Amino acid sequence: MLGLSEDHQRRGVVTASAGNHALALAYHARQLGVPCTCVMPTVAPLTKVSRCHSFGAKVLQAGEHIGEARTFANTLVESEGLTYINGFDDPAIIAGAGSMAIEMLEQAPGLSAIVVPVGGGGLIAGIATVVKTLAPHVLVVGVEPATCPSLTAAMEAGMPVAVPYTSTLADGLAVPQMGGNAYEICAQLVDKVVTVSECSIALSVLRLLEHRNTLIEGGGAAGFAALLDKDLLPELRGKKVCVPLCGGNIDISTVSRVIERGLAADGRLVRFVVTVSDRPGGIARLSEVVHRVGASFKDIHHERAWVQTDLFAVQVHCVVETTGPEHLAKLRAALEEAGYPLLWDFQQPTAPSIPFPRS
């Protein structure tokens, strides 16, 4: 904004953003006295919307994702003469993001790799530019949500292309088509790109909250999610790796959902269906088996109409808390030993349970 002419500063700036870039633009626009309009998707977290308002920005919500929000923002450029500030493809934005890599290299000497969350590509493009200039031996790895792999698609197509958009916990990374400038840099300098599942992202948020008392939004925790999967980046095992946790703006209402999904991915929240006697004591005997192995019921309900083999039997749908995969295995063995038919098997952990690094 400091590089804009006085006339453009007076008219104001506009951006399309899921939240974090909008927050930064709104904050600095207030400091500089520049009118700021932020166009945010309708699914943007409320905490980001309200904070943009608190910084004095005009907030408009349009579209289901940042691509549709950008289309609407472009109409304001034409109708109101605003200057569009791209949150991930403007050369100055990319350069600013790259300054993070200077700090990484200075504060963590001996790095083998930097693992970076990817949305529109500006952050990883800036980091890769700096790293490959100052420390070309350091690997630069991009991590995308599997539901919106815009960099992966661009690498395969040889140019930025639009990918289908579906909802993701990593809302800050939900950019259906990455920037052209960012792509040109990434195509030359990024060493590898991987994708992570929604369950892995939820598990990474849970791990950081439990072990580091740090609440990170899904997009910010995506890089760490890639490290939780021991099979995704095996070449980094035993190496010194830096992961930027870029983004802590998450709705409180979303936190409980993330925690539950993370617990399920970690094998600490499991569900199953068993058939028990519908006579007095049937549920009590099931509870005794669960109690004996130290597990705890979180939810339980009955269904009688769909049991066709025995008039005096009932299906019991259970959600049970355990301490992890090993505890889950003990519970399963105990149920099988007690003779309970598991009509719907356990929901197995979808991500490995790896101890959080202590160093």
Side-chain angles (χ1 to χ4, degrees), residues 327-346:
H327 194 192
L328 185 156
K330 291 180 180 179
L331 173 61
R332 177 171 187 165
L335 289 169
E336 291 176 345
E337 184 179 351
Y340 287 109
L342 299 174
L343 301 182
W344 185 25
D345 209 356
F346 290 88

Side-chain angles (χ1 to χ4, degrees), residues 100-322:
M100 181 190 296
I102 299 175
E103 298 179 29
M104 292 177 183
L105 296 173
E106 290 177 346
Q107 297 177 26
L111 283 179
S112 295
I114 298 177
V115 181
V116 189
V118 178
L123 177 61
I124 192 172
I127 287 176
T129 300
V130 171
V131 168
K132 295 305 181 180
T133 300
L134 301 180
H137 64 281
V138 176
L139 296 177
V140 178
V141 180
V143 181
E144 300 183 288
T147 55
C148 193
S150 56
L151 177 54
T152 299
M155 291 293 197
E156 292 175 351
M159 60 184 294
V161 293
V163 297
Y165 168 81
T166 55
S167 179
T168 173
L169 172 59
D171 58 273
L173 306 182
V175 181
Q177 182 169 327
M178 72 173 305
N181 292 327
Y183 167 74
E184 292 298 331
I185 296 172
C186 291
Q188 299 179 54
L189 303 180
V190 171
D191 297 290
K192 186 175 183 178
V193 184
V194 297
T195 61
V196 290
S197 69
E198 293 297 292
C199 286
S200 294
I201 295 172
L203 180 60
S204 68
V205 174
L206 178 66
R207 283 279 196 273
L208 291 165
L209 185 59
E210 282 190 308
H211 295 280
R212 286 293 183 267
N213 298 320
T214 303
L215 183 58
I216 300 295
E217 64 182 86
F224 183 58
L227 297 182
L228 283 181
D229 188 335
K230 62 182 179 181
D231 298 322
L232 199 56
L233 295 170
E235 66 271 28
L236 300 186
R237 182 172 296 279
K239 302 294 181 63
K240 189 172 185 178
V241 179
C242 184
V243 184
L245 303 177
C246 43
N249 300 300
I250 184 171
D251 280 339
I252 294 300
S253 60
T254 303
V255 174
S256 61
R257 302 180 192 177
V258 174
I259 290 174
E260 288 200 341
R261 290 193 181 188
L263 290 172
D266 206 19
R268 293 155 62 188
L269 191 65
V270 297
R271 62 185 183 183
F272 56 89
V273 180
V274 295
T275 300
V276 303
S277 171
D278 201 21
R279 300 180 187 277
I283 296 296
R285 283 189 287 274
L286 173 63
S287 298
E288 173 58 29
V289 174
V290 174
H291 168 72
R292 192 167 62 245
V293 297
S296 175
F297 282 106
K298 186 173 179 65
D299 190 23
I300 183 171
H301 72 276
H302 312 70
E303 286 185 357
R304 292 179 173 83
W306 287 272
V307 181
Q308 304 296 326
T309 57
D310 187 347
L311 184 62
F312 297 100
V314 60
Q315 282 187 351
V316 182
H317 294 242
C318 306
V319 177
V320 175
E321 290 180 304
T322 70

Side-chain angles (χ1 to χ4, degrees), residues 30-54:
R30 183 176 65 175
Q31 303 300 311
L32 298 173
V34 176
C36 177
T37 300
C38 299
V39 182
M40 307 174 75
T42 55
V43 296
L46 293 178
T47 183
K48 297 181 180 181
V49 174
S50 61
R51 289 187 66 191
C52 283
H53 276 296
S54 72

